[in-house]
Amino acid sequence: PAPVRIRGLSKTYRVGFFLNKQVKALQGLDLDIAPGQVYGLLGPNGAGKSTTIKILMGLVRASQGEALLFGESPDRPHVRRQVGFLPENPSLYEYLTGREFVTLAGRIFGLSGQELDQRVTRVLGEVGMGRASDLQIRRYSKGMVQRTALAQALISQPRLLVLDEPTSGLDPLGRRQMRDIILAEREKGTTILFCTHIISDVEALCDRVAVLVGGKRVQEGSVQELVSAR
Ligand code: ADP
Ligand code: ADP
């Protein structure tokens, strides 16, 4: 089954003091992501990108439609274990070092001993946090926090990586580093869902892209098709 399959997905949030108003965040979204694809979900603020990702991660319940990971519901623990998630503003324990934080994530995943140590060292190296991982997280730049959070997402060797605005708020160097890490991960054959409002990131990284506006898909295709349609 495909890493991601979404059909007729809708989400209406109730807002206002009496929960008497509605925000239609998603209105009948369809999305298919094949193995090994780097798939961009592109759209302006409020388009419904985060809501899509939160439903896929089992953090928000859909109002209608279905969202499947590898053909199964995101609620199933064995499915979730195959997915690495980088949230938009990851919160890390400030007083741990990056290495301690990623080690903790590995332990929660069920790793231990030498295997845990080796995997922690490898993912920290992959995200360029070799030496800096011995500093406390409260001393990190935003880019270092993002890369440590990505190392945490990679510790389980996920088949699917879901990235919510991984480059937003980073300086040009930080953005470049994040892009290079994503490209390296793509070389390994990992399927990646990449949500952003930055079109140049999509051009640099993605095989296919869906453009979301107002909770609806307004375009879908290869990056070439998208660029020539402009
Ligand atoms: P994006 O990630 O593309 O910026 P979101 O999925 O965050 O879009 O938001 C889509 C719409 O849903 C926006 O109008 C947003 O204000 C609204 N929304 C998102 N989360 C909530 C929430 N928890 N409660 C109410 N409205 C929300
Ligand atoms: P994004 O749109 O990029 O997800 P936001 O700043 O819009 O980021 O949202 C930050 C958080 O607030 C998210 O958890 C989102 O679900 C929630 N949120 C967004 N819009 C609303 C809203 N109108 N009412 C309540 N919560 C909201």
Side-chain angles (χ1 to χ4, degrees):
V4 175
R5 178 186 153 92
I6 292 176
R7 283 294 175 280
L9 196 66
S10 295
K11 175 66 187 179
T12 302
Y13 291 106
R14 296 190 169 277
V15 297
F17 188 73
F18 297 106
L19 299 182
N20 54 339
K21 293 179 196 151
Q22 300 192 341
V23 177
K24 290 187 175 176
L26 289 176
Q27 308 189 58
L29 180 69
D30 295 337
L31 201 69
D32 289 284
I33 305 183
Q37 277 183 345
V38 180
Y39 200 102
L41 198 54
L42 179 70
N45 273 331
K49 305 184 296 296
S50 286
T51 298
T52 305
I53 283 184
K54 284 175 190 163
I55 292 171
L56 270 179
M57 293 295 101
L59 302 172
V60 162
R61 196 161 290 281
S63 307
Q64 261 178 49
E66 68 174 6
L68 300 177
L69 296 171
F70 302 106
E72 297 192 65
S73 159
D75 297 333
R76 310 284 297 272
H78 74 276
V79 175
R80 288 295 306 280
R81 290 167 69 89
Q82 300 178 37
V83 183
F85 177 40
L86 179 63
E88 182 173 6
N89 290 303
S91 62
L92 278 51
Y93 301 107
E94 299 259 290
Y95 287 91
L96 294 182
T97 68
R99 179 173 294 273
E100 288 166 346
F101 183 76
V102 175
T103 300
L104 183 61
R107 222 170 253 137
I108 291 169
F109 183 69
L111 299 169
S112 63
Q114 233 186 8
E115 191 191 10
L116 175 60
D117 291 344
Q118 284 170 357
R119 239 202 254 179
V120 168
T121 299
R122 188 170 45 170
V123 292
L124 286 171
E126 280 169 4
V127 301
M129 289 293 293
R131 258 191 261 169
S133 65
D134 290 323
L135 287 177
Q136 283 186 337
I137 291 168
R138 65 195 175 93
R139 304 196 177 280
Y140 287 1
S141 67
K142 168 122 197 201
M144 291 162 79
V145 169
Q146 285 285 88
R147 286 185 281 131
T148 302
L150 182 55
Q152 176 204 19
L154 291 173
I155 195 78
S156 60
Q157 297 181 320
R159 294 161 72 196
L160 171 68
L161 201 51
V162 176
L163 310 173
D164 195 354
E165 301 271 1
T167 66
S168 76
L170 301 185
D171 60 21
L173 175 64
R175 181 165 293 172
R176 177 68 199 274
Q177 286 170 325
M178 186 56 79
R179 278 185 181 185
D180 287 346
I181 298 162
I182 294 168
L183 286 173
E185 199 53 40
R186 165 201 173 138
E187 286 301 303
K188 286 199 256 165
T190 309
T191 307
I192 301 176
L193 171 56
F194 176 57
C195 156
T196 186
H197 62 272
I198 305 170
I199 199 162
S200 63
D201 280 347
V202 169
E203 287 181 304
L205 297 171
C206 297
D207 302 308
R208 288 187 79 79
V209 58
V211 182
L212 219 60
V213 177
K216 291 181 182 158
R217 201 180 80 185
V218 297
Q219 266 185 63
E220 207 272 341
S222 70
V223 172
Q224 275 77 11
E225 285 164 354
L226 179 81
V227 171
S228 56
R230 271 198 288 172

